[in-house]
Amino acid sequence: MVVGDVTTGTEVLVIGAGPGGYVAAIRAAQNGLDTTLVDRDAYGGTCLNYGCIPSKALISATDVAHDAGNATEMGVHADPVIHTDEMQEWKEGVVDQLTGGVEKLCKANGVNLIEGEATFVDDSTARIAHGGDGQGSESIEFEHAIIATGSRPIQVPGFEFEHDPIWSSRDALDVEEPPEDLLVVGAGYIGMELSTVFAKMGVDVTVVEMLDGILPGYEDDVSRPVKKRADELGIEFNFGEVASEWEETGEGVVVTTEDEDGNESTYDAQKVLVAVGRQPVSDSLDPEAAGVEVDENGFIHTDDQARTNVDNIFAVGDVAGEPMLAHKASKEGIVAAEVIAGEPAALDQQAIPAAVFTDPEIATVGMTDEETEEAGFTPNVGEFPFRASGRALSTGESEGFVRIVAEEEAGFVLGAQIVGPEASELIAECALAIEMGATLEDVASTVHTHPTLAEAVMEAAENADDQAIHTLNR
């Protein structure tokens, strides 16, 4: 302890107030545990402040403008004008409302809130450094700790974010004056979401990706509609290239890339968005001081109760490994808090859905048909195209499909892949089916409202058993 430290105690110390941390803190407090939540930045973490929420706000706003300007088939003729500064003001209002709500919920549930940066002293003590001159520090003794420090954008060597023309996703989400030209490094979900946003703002977007396609990890027929729409928006793709260096010019930057044979290409742009993934934030914690093991990539491995190798220390969210998803973090936070409270909680990773808010959206849960085979099951697969959906056609968004994967013998639903309108919403039904052990018959026999997009899930289940009405069976 340093001179001047004030030492306090708590039953549960939660480090990080993102969707894993604040949820864990609230659930721990709801279980009667004295709980302290420490964060050095803002309540809600990256998700609410610099990621999920602001990006979806901008996606929604630019979708409105793009849809209004491209609805002549519906008899709507408009020429929308985007005022980016006003769009940013609206986005910030959404963020402020949610982050303020998180703080109120924590206080209402009796969580003690501390602003500062936590580092471990040992496996029962952490030091909290408060920001600002003269703010000092304090030590907190804890019975249990939950690490929820999240992740940060990966930096490409030579393309560090402190250079003005080089953007992280956070920089891109705060822009008030879009550039004329934007080079995006990376065609993963962050790169594709933001490429679409800027293309709909009227920016000339070029994407450079080291792999041979967009959205690695997704099947070709799932990512293909997204690539098709991006092409229609004028986004230019250059695959098999790695960004190697850049230099400023009078009007922006020139970025040099290399392919695997050493051939170089150059691209002019005003700004460069680096979106090659995220890495865990664990280094600032000094986890080794508490005996917590960290792998070579900075991840903290946990068991199915979110417990680290140190019995009284837990880790949740991005810092605990893939998938890096806010809802997965929240679930882990609940499990960790309930385990600490003595409840028989555990994680079930089988039914965690994922969504990409591109145009069109992508959402998946569980296993693909190939993964089903690898797991030793015989897959029974049903599909329904949105072009056969009355509701999809009536919205002008009929690209994509619903695919549902089941085990053939008993019909249990094992997975689903959706690409199309509102995929992020529709996937919840499939996740519930997996979680509750539902069969194709259960999904198919459930009466769905007409006309809705959700009917496509029902029809996909019917198609798997050659019973679909509104599409040809196999």
Side-chain angles (χ1 to χ4, degrees):
M1 189 187 335
V2 297
V3 175
D5 256 4
V6 174
T7 302
T8 57
T10 189
E11 288 181 280
V12 182
L13 174 65
V14 182
I15 304 172
Y22 83 76
V23 169
I26 289 173
R27 181 51 55 89
Q30 288 174 342
N31 277 282
L33 299 169
D34 180 70
T35 304
T36 301
L37 176 61
V38 178
D39 195 276
R40 64 184 180 185
D41 190 5
Y43 298 112
T46 294
C47 178
L48 265 66
N49 291 276
Y50 319 116
C52 313
I53 300 304
S55 66
K56 294 348 166 244
L58 292 186
I59 287 170
S60 296
T62 52
D63 280 352
V64 169
H66 180 264
D67 292 346
N70 292 271
T72 54
E73 287 186 357
M74 297 180 175
V76 177
H77 298 263
D79 187 15
V81 177
I82 294 176
H83 293 270
T84 318
D85 55 341
E86 295 177 14
M87 185 180 291
Q88 286 288 352
E89 185 178 349
W90 171 74
K91 179 207 76 176
E92 290 302 320
V94 173
V95 171
D96 290 346
Q97 181 175 342
L98 289 171
T99 55
V102 167
E103 184 175 1
K104 289 177 182 177
L105 285 169
C106 288
K107 290 179 177 178
N109 281 281
V111 177
N112 305 306
L113 300 177
I114 297 179
E115 292 185 15
E117 183 168 352
T119 56
F120 285 113
V121 176
D122 52 39
D123 62 4
S124 61
T125 311
R127 180 168 295 125
I128 314 301
H130 301 293
D133 294 336
Q135 294 299 307
S137 63
E138 64 181 290
S139 293
I140 297 181
E141 295 178 350
F142 57 84
E143 295 179 21
H144 297 87
I146 301 175
I147 301 169
T149 45
S151 63
R152 58 181 170 236
I154 295 173
Q155 299 196 70
V156 173
F159 288 76
E160 287 76 19
F161 299 132
E162 61 263 23
H163 301 296
D164 177 53
I166 309 302
W167 280 354
S168 67
S169 55
R170 178 173 174 175
D171 298 321
L173 291 170
D174 285 340
V175 65
E176 291 196 1
E177 186 175 343
E180 291 184 11
D181 312 278
L182 176 67
L183 179 70
V184 179
V185 180
Y189 76 96
I190 296 174
M192 289 306 302
E193 287 182 358
L194 292 178
S195 294
T196 303
V197 165
F198 280 96
K200 290 180 178 180
M201 287 182 181
V203 176
D204 289 330
V205 179
T206 299
V207 178
V208 172
E209 167 59 49
M210 64 181 294
L211 301 178
D212 58 2
I214 69 169
L215 299 172
Y218 288 93
E219 295 171 291
D220 288 343
D221 61 348
V222 170
S223 62
R224 192 178 303 123
V226 176
K227 172 64 163 55
K228 177 183 175 184
R229 185 65 57 84
D231 290 338
E232 293 170 354
L233 290 170
I235 299 173
E236 179 186 333
F237 291 92
N238 298 275
F239 297 113
E241 298 182 16
V242 176
S244 56
E245 61 182 10
W246 64 276
E247 62 178 346
E248 290 191 75
T249 66
E251 298 180 354
V253 297
V254 173
V255 176
T256 302
T257 66
E258 264 186 45
D259 65 17
E260 61 180 4
D261 297 321
N263 300 314
E264 293 186 344
S265 300
T266 58
Y267 302 95
D268 294 312
Q270 285 190 332
K271 300 290 183 180
V272 180
L273 167 61
V274 178
V276 295
R278 299 183 65 84
Q279 62 186 24
V281 176
S282 57
D283 49 348
S284 61
L285 276 173
D286 194 9
E288 292 84 0
V292 175
E293 294 178 358
V294 179
D295 72 13
E296 65 276 10
N297 296 314
F299 290 108
I300 299 172
H301 294 290
T302 59
D303 62 16
D304 65 355
Q305 292 187 318
R307 195 189 305 268
T308 70
N309 63 296
V310 179
D311 191 59
N312 67 315
I313 299 179
F314 298 71
V316 303
D318 289 2
V319 75
E322 298 285 355
M324 291 185 171
L325 299 168
H327 44 282
K328 171 252 194 184
S330 295
K331 181 61 177 178
E332 288 177 335
I334 289 172
V335 167
E338 291 182 347
V339 169
I340 292 170
E343 300 292 330
L347 295 163
D348 177 8
Q349 301 283 11
Q350 179 64 32
I352 296 181
V356 183
F357 294 83
T358 44
D359 183 4
E361 291 183 355
I362 291 173
T364 61
V365 67
M367 292 188 277
T368 64
D369 54 344
E370 184 177 332
E371 290 168 340
T372 299
E373 283 191 49
E374 291 172 355
F377 300 103
T378 301
N380 185 12
V381 181
E383 288 190 14
F384 186 79
F386 280 115
R387 66 177 180 272
S389 163
R391 182 61 181 136
L393 288 168
S394 71
T395 65
E397 295 292 337
S398 58
E399 193 77 51
F401 58 85
V402 174
R403 178 189 296 136
I404 192 163
V405 181
E407 182 269 323
E408 186 172 57
E409 184 175 348
F412 291 114
V413 178
L414 300 178
Q417 300 84 46
I418 303 176
V419 53
E422 304 294 341
S424 59
E425 301 287 346
L426 297 176
I427 201 66
E429 178 178 357
C430 302
L432 177 61
I434 297 171
E435 183 68 32
M436 67 180 292
T439 65
L440 288 170
E441 183 180 0
D442 293 326
V443 176
S445 62
T446 299
V447 178
H448 288 63
T449 310
H450 176 76
T452 60
L453 297 171
E455 289 176 295
V457 177
M458 175 187 70
E459 293 262 13
E462 290 176 333
N463 178 252
D465 287 334
D466 297 327
Q467 297 293 311
I469 299 296
H470 297 98
T471 189
L472 294 177
N473 292 299
R474 298 162 299 163

